[in-house]
Amino acid sequence: MVILQKEGKADYLIPGSYRPIALENTLSKILEKVIADYIVDTAEEHALLPQSQIGARKNRLTLLALTLLTTTIKTTWAMRKDFIVLMLSLDISGAYDNIPYKRLLYILRAKGFLE
């Protein structure tokens, strides 16, 4: 835990003039990064991800996602001017806390990440 002074406080003898900040375990962060990099590199090496997936991939920037989106729309409109293009966008970041871990381990084994 690190204790930081809050800016602009008149009296630093009062405990409320400080902000405690809990530092997460650095070793676990390093281990998580090493494992994540291994999974990403292996997935790229064995082409386990579809080409259209842009998130969480190296050299796949937001600009590429926007280019892919606009190109798809323009191609659709070029085929048929009367087509209406609809898009559904989901924020599923909160869903990761609810993934059944046994199913995830099964998929990782099936993809060759685990023995």
Side-chain angles (χ1 to χ4, degrees):
M1 172 120 15
V2 175
I3 309 296
L4 300 177
Q5 287 183 344
K6 294 179 182 177
E7 289 185 32
K9 295 293 181 176
D11 186 3
Y12 285 104
L13 295 176
I14 299 170
S17 298
Y18 296 89
R19 175 179 295 118
I21 304 220
L23 301 175
E24 292 184 23
N25 187 337
T26 306
L27 184 58
S28 67
K29 284 184 171 185
I30 293 170
L31 182 60
E32 179 181 325
K33 175 70 173 148
V34 168
I35 292 170
D37 286 348
Y38 169 76
I39 291 172
V40 168
D41 292 343
T42 303
E44 292 288 348
E45 180 182 335
H46 296 287
L48 298 175
L49 303 173
Q51 287 298 316
S52 60
Q53 179 175 331
I54 294 173
R57 294 183 76 178
K58 294 177 183 172
N59 302 318
R60 305 281 177 115
L61 306 175
T62 303
L63 183 59
L64 177 61
L66 293 173
T67 302
L68 178 62
L69 177 63
T70 55
T71 302
T72 302
I73 292 170
K74 288 179 180 180
T75 302
T76 303
W77 282 341
M79 291 171 43
R80 296 270 314 262
K81 298 285 185 202
D82 60 334
F83 271 21
I84 296 172
V85 178
L86 300 174
M87 184 177 86
L88 173 64
S89 178
L90 301 172
D91 179 5
I92 60 169
S93 59
Y96 292 110
D97 296 335
N98 299 313
I99 292 176
Y101 75 92
K102 289 182 181 179
R103 179 73 177 148
L104 179 59
L105 291 174
Y106 171 80
I107 292 169
L108 289 173
R109 280 190 192 92
K111 297 285 186 182
F113 287 104
L114 303 173
E115 295 180 7

